[in-house]
Amino acid sequence: MKNQWVRAGLFLLFLFVASKLVSPHPVDPWGLFRPQKILFMFFALSALQVMGEVLSLWVGPKAGIVMTGFLGGLLSSTATTVTLAKESHEADGSQTLRMAALQSAILAMLIQAAVLISAGGLEAFQLVGVHFVILGLITATLIALLWRRKSHPHPAMAGANEILDVKSSLKLTVFIVLILAASKLVQEWAGGQGLMLLTFVISLFEVHGSLISTAQLLAAGKIDGPQYERLVETSLLASYVSKFALIAVISNVGFRKRALMTLVPAMLFLILHLLGWLHLS
């Protein structure tokens, strides 16, 4: 077991260093495949496995998976969603705790997004801060409700016998990269059909980058406050839609139905506000 920990640690260190050394620029003429992004996704998925084992041993299986979901959300909420959806096919572990981990990853994503927006300027955060508060409260409530439900202990995200399954991480990396490439193609096809559509497509898998660029548009005076608010809502909605689609495609039937229902409250809030049927002021 000790040798497994050493090998896993060295492999993660190698992936992290390699992701910093390789080119961030695309290697194909269409700009679909970026070595740095691919290696970092591989690192994030592998780190999730090892992180799950560490936290399971440190705080126990139940708290371990929820904490792994949160820390995984800081790395990549998309990678965390894919991992949890794939694990839902396993006989061992609690589907309820996996749903709590999914919501924890979303909470981490929201906190990170709020921090990035506030770092870009107080005006930008004041316009959308209440959105993050409401979404955070919805997410935290769901985590609490799922936590209180009786559930069987979850072993660890990577399984009880293997700390790091490199082949599994590699397969998931390829899957996510192909989806990102497809998203990029849609973005190119959309062209100038509208800032809202482009924001939605970009945010399917790049929500933080989209939020930063939108805040820059506001700071430069290219868009006004109401436009900025709608674009932020569109970005957040797209992030939820991508998770919704990934769970619908990858997870097993039992997990799918319940997990998708936990995404509905936040998505409904964003849709109603975007349509003007819900007012915050």
Side-chain angles (χ1 to χ4, degrees), residues 5 49-60 68 156:
W5 284 108
Q49 293 188 38
V50 178
M51 200 186 303
E53 286 285 356
V54 172
L55 290 173
S56 180
L57 292 173
W58 182 33
V59 298
T68 300

Side-chain angles (χ1 to χ4, degrees), residues 23-38 173-174 176-182 184-185:
S23 172
H25 305 295
V27 295
D28 60 288
W30 304 277
L32 301 178
F33 301 102
R34 299 173 183 268
Q36 190 174 79
K37 184 181 293 293
I38 294 171
T173 301
V174 172
I176 294 174
V177 168
L178 290 176
I179 290 180
L180 286 169
K184 179 69 174 178
L185 287 174

Side-chain angles (χ1 to χ4, degrees), residues 111-130:
I111 292 174
Q112 192 174 42
V115 170
L116 288 173
I117 289 176
S118 59
L122 185 59
E123 179 190 359
F125 183 75
Q126 287 176 335
L127 288 169
V128 295
V130 66

Side-chain angles (χ1 to χ4, degrees), residues 48 51-53 55-56 63-73 80 157:
L48 277 174
M51 200 186 303
E53 286 285 356
L55 290 173
S56 180
I65 184 174
V66 177
M67 289 181 65
T68 300
F70 184 85
L71 295 176
T80 306
M157 293 188 75

Side-chain angles (χ1 to χ4, degrees), residues 41-268:
M41 187 61 66
F42 191 15
F43 163 75
L45 288 166
S46 300
L48 277 174
Q49 293 188 38
V50 178
M51 200 186 303
E53 286 285 356
V54 172
L55 290 173
S56 180
L57 292 173
W58 182 33
V59 298
K62 185 175 181 180
I65 184 174
V66 177
M67 289 181 65
T68 300
F70 184 85
L71 295 176
L74 294 177
L75 279 175
S76 170
S77 59
T78 299
T80 306
T81 301
V82 171
T83 300
L84 291 167
K86 179 178 177 293
E87 285 191 348
S88 68
H89 293 277
E90 298 175 3
D92 296 332
S94 165
Q95 303 289 41
T96 301
L97 287 179
R98 290 188 181 107
M99 286 186 281
L102 172 64
Q103 292 298 322
S104 295
I106 291 173
L107 183 60
M109 176 200 75
L110 292 172
I111 292 174
Q112 192 174 42
V115 170
L116 288 173
I117 289 176
S118 59
L122 185 59
E123 179 190 359
F125 183 75
Q126 287 176 335
L127 288 169
V128 295
V130 66
H131 298 72
F132 285 96
V133 170
I134 293 174
L135 290 172
L137 288 174
I138 291 173
T139 307
T141 301
L142 286 168
I143 294 171
L145 291 173
L146 291 166
W147 177 266
R148 289 171 62 88
R149 289 181 58 181
K150 292 182 179 179
S151 55
H152 300 292
H154 189 287
M157 293 188 75
N161 299 318
E162 193 169 10
I163 294 173
L164 177 59
D165 184 354
V166 176
K167 185 182 293 186
S168 174
S169 294
L170 184 59
K171 287 180 180 178
L172 290 177
T173 301
V174 172
F175 175 79
I176 294 174
V177 168
L178 290 176
I179 290 180
L180 286 169
S183 175
K184 179 69 174 178
L185 287 174
V186 173
Q187 179 187 344
E188 292 294 332
W189 168 80
Q193 292 187 21
L195 187 56
M196 291 281 284
L197 176 59
L198 285 175
T199 297
F200 182 87
V201 173
I202 294 170
S203 299
L204 286 171
F205 297 96
E206 296 287 346
V207 64
H208 292 132
S210 177
L211 289 171
I212 292 171
S213 61
T214 304
Q216 290 174 344
L217 287 176
L218 176 68
K222 302 294 184 182
I223 56 176
D224 59 22
Q227 286 177 304
Y228 173 72
E229 187 178 3
R230 288 194 297 272
L231 288 173
V232 169
E233 290 173 346
T234 300
S235 292
L236 293 172
L237 179 61
S239 178
Y240 278 96
V241 168
S242 70
K243 292 171 178 57
F244 195 97
L246 289 170
I247 292 170
V249 171
I250 303 173
S251 62
N252 80 354
V253 177
F255 178 81
R256 182 186 309 148
K257 292 180 179 178
R258 291 182 291 166
L260 293 181
M261 286 302 297
T262 65
L263 297 177
V264 169
M267 293 177 66
L268 188 59

